[in-house]
Amino acid sequence: QVQLVESGGGLVQAGGSLRLSCAASGRTFSSYHMGWFRQAPGKEREFVAAIRRSGVTAYYVDSVKGRFTISRDNVKNTVYLQMNSLKPEDTAVYYCAADDSLRLRVGTSSNEYDYWGQGTQVTVSS
């Protein structure tokens, strides 16, 4: 069982930055692919970014490429999402997720992840 706890959300003006953190319990964090998803009011949960268990390769949805950076620290059992040049359309609840399937492929669909955090609100004002 893995527990994920997000932090770092808040209210920021357009063009600003936030850094989200997701701390994971357990000793096998380095075996999980990790992902960030978001859900805006009235919309489905969407993929934002994911990182391979080794931390070598990252994947992003097109709308955040060049603005967001996912990273991980396998010693601290933490995954991060650095968000720069924020836009009002980035407003959502952001969730981190863990894939413990040991598959090679890094998933971009929510059904490919096994554990979820409680979410942290990010609000970008115009």
Side-chain angles (χ1 to χ4, degrees), residues 48-119:
V48 176
I51 188 165
R52 189 170 293 281
R53 56 181 65 92
S54 64
V56 171
T57 311
Y59 305 83
Y60 301 92
V61 67
D62 285 348
S63 61
V64 308
K65 284 180 180 177
R67 300 189 299 122
F68 290 12
T69 303
I70 188 172
S71 62
R72 66 189 296 162
D73 186 330
N74 285 346
V75 174
K76 295 182 177 180
N77 285 7
T78 302
V79 62
Y80 305 96
L81 187 66
Q82 178 66 45
M83 306 186 294
N84 299 329
S85 302
L86 283 161
K87 305 176 181 180
E89 51 264 42
D90 295 317
T91 295
V93 177
Y94 283 70
Y95 299 89
C96 72
D99 168 12
D100 75 344
S101 69
L102 301 180
R103 65 169 64 95
L104 183 62
R105 178 183 180 276
V106 177
T108 58
S109 297
S110 58
N111 60 8
E112 295 179 283
Y113 288 81
D114 305 288
Y115 301 102
W116 293 83
Q118 82 288 351

